[in-house]
Amino acid sequence: MDTDLPGASRRTILSLAAVAAVFPWASVAQAVDGTIYVIAELLAKPGEEAKVRTALSTFARGVPKEPGCISYHLHEDVAAPGRFLTYEVWKDKAAIDAHFQTPAMKSAGPALAKLLAKPLGVTSMKLLV
């Protein structure tokens, strides 16, 4: 199985594929040292911005407490309210796998899907400097 995640197990790839199916707006990249970078972009339906903001803010408060979460930041575009981005840094594959299995993460996708205008494509990135 070809992958952008060097050394990733079949189980890890399948887990990430399952997450991508539920959260198609999520993009995962892994650095050479094993650190994982995730950028997610969500666009609220017109009139649903406040609900999405509240749901994401509530969810985001718990994520940094998860084992292996190095950094988790939720942003809203000042020029386009209702457009949200997360920038996440995880210690390794095990940490992101555990994150994807949390009850909060498993319930976030279906709950937010009703409030989103559409999932947007995201580019995987690697750390250069």
Side-chain angles (χ1 to χ4, degrees):
M1 180 177 280
D2 291 334
T3 174
D4 290 333
L5 302 177
S9 71
R10 178 175 167 80
R11 183 177 177 196
T12 298
I13 298 305
L14 292 175
S15 288
L16 292 175
V19 169
V22 175
F23 300 97
W25 39 262
S27 179
V28 177
Q30 184 176 26
V32 175
D33 68 354
T35 303
I36 294 181
Y37 299 87
V38 178
I39 294 181
E41 183 177 27
L42 300 95
L43 181 63
K45 287 179 182 174
E48 301 292 359
E49 297 89 352
K51 289 179 185 176
V52 173
R53 185 179 301 110
T54 299
L56 289 175
S57 296
T58 299
F59 174 78
R61 284 188 192 95
V63 176
K65 299 171 188 168
E66 294 178 27
C69 181
I70 296 170
S71 177
Y72 188 95
H73 302 279
L74 172 64
H75 307 271
E76 184 172 8
D77 189 333
V78 295
R83 178 176 177 247
F84 302 91
L85 296 165
T86 65
Y87 177 74
E88 311 168 35
V89 182
W90 296 89
K91 179 182 172 190
D92 53 25
K93 293 187 304 280
I96 194 74
D97 288 346
H99 170 65
F100 289 141
Q101 296 304 314
T102 63
M105 186 69 167
K106 285 182 176 183
S107 68
L112 285 170
K114 300 171 190 172
L115 304 173
L116 297 178
K118 62 180 181 178
L120 298 177
V122 180
T123 304
S124 293
M125 298 185 306
K126 62 182 179 181
L127 186 62
L128 295 179
V129 202

